[in-house]
Amino acid sequence: MLKDPHALITHKEHWKDYYLFTLESPIIASQAEPGQFIMVRVSSLSCPLLRRPFSIHSVEGKNIEIFFQKSGIGTSLLSNKITGDFMDIIGPLGKGFSWSQHSKTQDIVLIGGGRGIAPLYFLSQKLHSAGTTPIIFYGGKTKDDIPLKEKFEQKGFTIYCSTDDGSFGFRGLITDCFKDQLKNLTPKQIFACGPEPMMKAISQVAVKRGIPAEFSLESVMGCGFGACWGCVKKIKTKAGSEWVKICEEGPVFSSFEIVWEEQEK
Ligand SMILES: Cc1cc2nc3c(=O)[nH]c(=O)nc-3n(C[C@H](O)[C@H](O)[C@H](O)COP(=O)(O)OP(=O)(O)OC[C@H]3O[C@@H](n4cnc5c(N)ncnc54)[C@H](O)[C@@H]3O)c2cc1C
Ligand code: FES
């Protein structure tokens, strides 16, 4: 884990509530792996005190990117930052996707819902440079919620989009779009990130069809590096299940490890 108090914002883009920042942070860029995240100090004031977690969206030389949706006080403050500002970040944190084991596997599917697309771009970069071209599924409520569609297209990836209101692509949930495409596809590995109900639905399909799948979980995080126990979730083990710190043991877990919410009751 590294601390970079002077990560320079070199580029900023935004689409309605979604923001993409390029940060110059050579030290964190050199060690980052897909599925890992950084903890960002959103304000130089004491409130909000806690850093906020964001997936590493891409790595390009000495730069990393983060892609986030404005959803509360911390992300609002962050969205006000401008090119030339410095950010205080800690990372890379957590255990990411097991992408290197699959670098020769074809028919890899990446499924992102809303802001959950964030870690999948870095994963697609790594897979692509290892010789695998993943197939992308990207869903949002409306066409404004899938702003990274062109970014994936520019890389030459096949991308299936869905919107709940039908304003772009498949009308309905990305899980239904994915199930529909299973007529034509035979995925050998799934990597997904998004709202928990989306990931749970994909996990059920994956288990039923025997497709290995990994999911990046979210949890409210106090520290991001194992000190506060704020992020625990129940994970299946050989002995049954145990509470683990998502920030250290995850945030990525396989479908066989995750105890989805209703299963807990
Ligand atoms: C490992 C990890 C990676 C993440 N990567 C990204 C990313 O790449 N892009 C992105 O947009 N978001 C990401 N998130 C979620 C992001 O951290 C939260 O949206 C952010 O912390 C909210 O801060 P806030 O101060 O704006 O919201 P708050 O004012 O604190 O809360 C606003 C709303 O967001 C919910 N919320 C707060 N923290 C979290 C959280 N950690 N997870 C889920 N919901 C939360 C609250 O319950 C509330 O409903 C990630 C979360 C984790 C755990
Ligand atoms: S966020 Fe503090 S222990 Fe995980």
Side-chain angles (χ1 to χ4, degrees):
M1 175 184 79
L2 304 157
K3 187 172 192 296
D4 184 352
H6 301 293
L8 177 70
I9 303 177
T10 58
H11 187 70
K12 175 183 175 181
E13 269 182 78
H14 88 99
W15 308 260
K16 299 224 165 158
D17 281 345
Y18 295 91
Y19 294 79
L20 181 69
F21 284 4
T22 307
L23 309 174
E24 194 180 292
S25 183
I27 188 148
I28 292 181
S30 67
Q31 298 194 11
E33 287 292 333
Q36 288 190 299
F37 64 97
I38 58 171
M39 292 296 284
V40 176
R41 188 158 177 210
V42 292
S43 167
S44 53
L45 304 173
S46 56
C47 179
L49 183 65
L50 298 176
R51 290 170 183 265
R52 300 294 194 262
F54 297 99
S55 303
I56 297 169
H57 171 65
S58 83
V59 172
E60 210 69 80
K62 60 187 178 181
N63 296 324
I64 63 169
E65 284 184 315
I66 57 167
F67 171 74
F68 66 93
Q69 184 181 19
K70 195 159 67 169
S71 59
I73 183 169
T75 43
S76 293
L77 288 167
L78 200 56
S79 71
N80 293 332
K81 295 206 181 283
I82 56 170
T83 304
D85 283 351
F86 288 104
M87 280 174 44
D88 178 345
I89 63 177
I90 295 176
L93 296 163
K95 292 180 184 147
F97 296 105
S98 65
W99 70 274
S100 56
Q101 293 169 29
H102 304 285
S103 56
K104 297 282 171 281
T105 311
Q106 295 302 327
D107 301 315
I108 292 183
V109 166
L110 313 188
I111 309 175
R115 69 185 191 209
I117 198 71
L120 302 182
Y121 187 77
F122 186 16
L123 179 60
S124 75
Q125 280 183 313
K126 284 281 193 184
L127 289 168
H128 195 234
S129 55
T132 298
T133 304
I135 298 158
I136 317 294
F137 284 82
Y138 184 14
K141 287 193 171 75
T142 73
K143 67 175 186 326
D144 291 335
D145 296 298
I146 50 171
L148 298 185
K149 173 183 157 297
E150 280 85 18
K151 189 170 181 177
F152 282 97
E153 282 172 346
Q154 280 161 12
K155 285 274 172 190
F157 298 133
T158 301
I159 178 161
Y160 297 94
C161 292
S162 73
T163 50
D164 297 1
D165 66 354
S167 50
F168 188 85
F170 180 93
R171 177 191 287 271
L173 300 174
I174 197 63
T175 45
D176 292 328
C177 175
F178 172 61
K179 283 186 216 161
D180 191 48
Q181 285 302 324
L182 284 174
K183 293 180 293 208
N184 314 315
L185 301 172
T186 47
K188 303 287 186 308
Q189 173 71 39
I190 298 170
F191 295 106
C193 182
E196 196 148 322
M198 178 207 104
M199 294 195 286
K200 184 181 172 193
I202 293 163
S203 178
Q204 285 168 339
V205 175
V207 169
K208 198 166 154 195
R209 293 188 175 237
I211 309 166
E214 290 181 11
F215 302 88
S216 180
L217 300 184
E218 276 197 9
S219 179
V220 175
M221 291 187 176
C223 68
F225 48 82
C228 73
W229 288 88
C231 62
V232 291
K233 274 197 194 272
K234 207 187 264 183
I235 293 296
K236 287 180 210 159
T237 60
K238 281 186 190 134
S241 66
E242 66 181 62
W243 293 94
V244 306
K245 296 175 198 166
I246 297 298
C247 66
E248 277 189 330
E249 301 302 323
V252 176
F253 294 92
S254 77
S255 40
F256 298 106
E257 294 172 296
I258 300 169
V259 181
W260 300 104
E261 227 160 64
E262 289 92 280
Q263 289 174 264
E264 284 183 49
K265 290 170 191 160

